[in-house]
Amino acid sequence: MFDNKDKTNLNELGEFGLIEYLTKQVELTQKSSVKGIGDDAAVLDFSNYKTLISTDLLLENVHFDLRYVPLKHLGYKAIQVNLSDIYAMNGMASQVTISIGLSSKFPLEAVEEIYEGALIACKKYGVDLIGGDTSASTQGLVISVTSIGYAETDKIAYRSAAKEGDLICVSGDLGGAYVGLQLLEREKQIFLENPNIQPDLEGKDYIVERQLKPEARKDIVELLAALEIQPHAMIDVSDGLASEILHICKASNVGCKLYEEKIPIDPMTYETAREFGLDPTVCALSGGEDYELLFTIPQDDYDKVKGQLDISVIGHITEASAGYQMISKSGNVHDIKAQGWNAFKSEE
Ligand code: ADP
Ligand code: MG
């Protein structure tokens, strides 16, 4: 949490002063950005590309908890999770808008930290901040990000385009963000009970980062293009592997067969899940917030992905009547069900 002592009250700047202050260092770098901040609307030109648009709303105490999420990370993550949706269409992100609702408990320095994180993410991913809206809020902090991107018509990967026989692939590893959250929640409880105890997150950097500082997989979109692979269906893993593969299967009217042993799980995720008495596979299937890309590719492209360390082939697409199945490590067949976050919440 931030400390309001000696901080600047937002009223001193006013709305326009705040916008100007926060956006003074913003530069436009994308060819498609014709006009950014400063008029009634931004102006974009995507020539002969299709335009991709995605938006997210983040509410304090619903989507984030300021007791353990640093504001800079919050700004960074707000941008990342949004860009992830553009990459999940196999497109490139080019612009974002950021809208914020601020309650009076936030001084200028707090908002500045959010923007600092957001602008670091924009810069790193080469996207232009082209506008937003700013308002007072009586309900805590509200952040909404809209991202805009582009793709060639025949490169766009819809959820509905998976074909029977396709290989199911996922980038990176899964479950880490959820296990990281468990760790942060545990430390928060300890802190609430005894504020003198400092959080013990030592040696757990990877999974804490997976939760607080996710990275959208722009690199995977670029890698697929370099490997000359046109993914059939693609989605980003925001709610857990189970939920996402079901989205693809239902939209494409196909079934799937996943192999538990092929699901990529980082050793730290695995061990920490075990410490919490959680099944690491369940964390991957139902945890969420990993922001990896889940996609299907034609079988003929297997040779192109097989040497790629950052892409795992975890199963294949079947006909719809075969259902949604996972073969466990011991060879048992399980039906895949979407559980999302609720699977864990109901256990609490
Ligand atoms: P309007 O009254 O027409 O909504 P605003 O005064 O809200 O205009 O916004 C003026 C300019 O500043 C616009 O270009 C808008 O997109 C931009 N802007 C407003 N709030 C933000 C924000 N939080 N982040 C980035 N740009 C913003
Ligand atoms: Mg406005």
Side-chain angles (χ1 to χ4, degrees):
M1 266 310 259
F2 47 87
D3 169 13
N4 277 12
K5 215 160 68 70
D6 306 322
K7 296 286 157 68
T8 318
N9 192 305
L10 283 178
N11 295 332
E12 289 173 32
L13 283 109
E15 184 190 331
F16 301 125
L18 174 64
I19 298 170
E20 205 178 300
Y21 186 84
L22 293 175
T23 60
K24 59 176 186 264
Q25 18 148 342
V26 168
E27 287 167 25
L28 299 181
T29 61
Q30 290 278 342
K31 222 170 48 191
S32 51
S33 302
V34 178
K35 172 75 192 177
I37 293 165
D39 213 311
D40 298 309
V43 180
L44 306 178
D45 178 3
F46 287 100
S47 313
N48 39 16
Y49 290 96
K50 288 278 188 290
T51 309
L52 309 171
I53 298 190
S54 180
T55 197
D56 275 319
L57 181 61
L58 299 174
L59 305 176
E60 182 176 351
N61 297 331
V62 177
H63 301 100
F64 56 88
D65 185 334
L66 290 178
R67 284 172 296 188
Y68 56 71
V69 179
L71 290 165
K72 195 168 159 182
H73 286 71
L74 182 64
Y76 189 87
K77 182 168 172 175
I79 298 293
Q80 293 292 350
V81 305
N82 220 264
L83 297 182
S84 177
D85 283 319
I86 299 290
Y87 301 130
M89 300 300 289
N90 202 34
M92 279 293 132
S94 45
Q95 289 87 12
V96 291
T97 65
I98 307 177
S99 298
I100 43 174
L102 298 161
S103 59
S104 52
K105 71 176 180 188
F106 291 95
L108 172 67
E109 286 77 3
V111 192
E112 211 178 349
E113 273 185 48
I114 298 173
Y115 263 74
E116 209 185 311
L119 291 174
I120 289 172
C122 288
K123 195 160 188 189
K124 188 163 171 191
Y125 282 71
V127 302
D128 296 342
L129 173 62
I130 55 154
D133 202 16
T134 309
S135 171
S137 158
T138 54
Q139 304 291 322
L141 179 61
V142 180
I143 305 178
S144 176
V145 175
T146 297
S147 52
I148 300 154
Y150 60 94
E152 284 171 53
T153 306
D154 57 357
K155 296 278 158 60
I156 299 174
Y158 295 97
R159 294 179 181 183
S160 57
K163 305 257 180 316
E164 196 183 329
D166 277 2
L167 300 174
I168 301 170
C169 303
V170 70
S171 64
D173 57 77
L174 300 174
Y178 179 76
V179 179
L181 181 65
Q182 300 316 299
L183 207 59
L184 289 166
E185 288 277 358
R186 181 182 72 189
E187 295 308 316
K188 180 181 85 182
Q189 286 310 326
I190 294 173
F191 180 76
L192 290 177
E193 279 154 31
N194 184 350
N196 296 321
I197 299 179
Q198 287 299 305
D200 177 20
L201 301 170
E202 212 183 294
K204 303 288 190 187
D205 313 20
Y206 180 68
I207 52 176
V208 170
E209 283 220 346
R210 293 291 284 169
Q211 170 58 224
L212 293 181
K213 204 172 153 289
E215 296 289 333
R217 298 310 303 258
K218 177 187 185 182
D219 59 328
I220 296 294
V221 175
E222 290 167 339
L223 176 64
L224 291 174
L227 294 171
E228 296 182 8
I229 295 174
Q230 171 60 39
H232 282 166
M234 183 141 75
I235 191 168
D236 65 328
V237 183
S238 52
D239 292 332
L241 176 60
S243 164
E244 314 304 354
I245 192 64
L246 291 180
H247 278 308
I248 286 183
C249 287
K250 287 175 181 170
S252 302
N253 194 26
V254 294
C256 66
K257 195 172 261 188
L258 297 184
Y259 295 88
E260 182 186 12
E261 61 180 5
K262 305 280 188 198
I263 298 173
I265 297 176
D266 179 82
M268 191 188 293
T269 302
Y270 195 93
E271 281 161 32
T272 315
R274 285 278 181 230
E275 280 169 39
F276 277 98
L278 297 167
D279 179 341
T281 302
V282 174
C283 294
L285 285 169
S286 305
E289 294 206 283
D290 290 313
Y291 298 102
E292 295 296 341
L293 292 175
L294 175 70
F295 51 97
T296 79
I297 62 171
Q299 250 174 51
D300 290 349
D301 285 339
Y302 178 69
D303 284 342
K304 298 180 188 168
V305 293
K306 77 172 181 218
Q308 296 297 326
L309 293 175
D310 231 8
I311 296 178
S312 303
V313 178
I314 58 170
H316 59 268
I317 297 291
T318 58
E319 57 177 16
S321 63
Y324 320 118
Q325 300 185 329
M326 186 180 78
I327 315 301
S328 75
K329 287 177 185 164
S330 52
N332 295 323
V333 180
H334 295 270
D335 285 334
I336 298 171
K337 297 197 180 76
Q339 294 179 312
W341 294 94
N342 294 333
F344 297 99
K345 293 235 168 82
S346 60
E347 285 169 13
E348 281 173 11

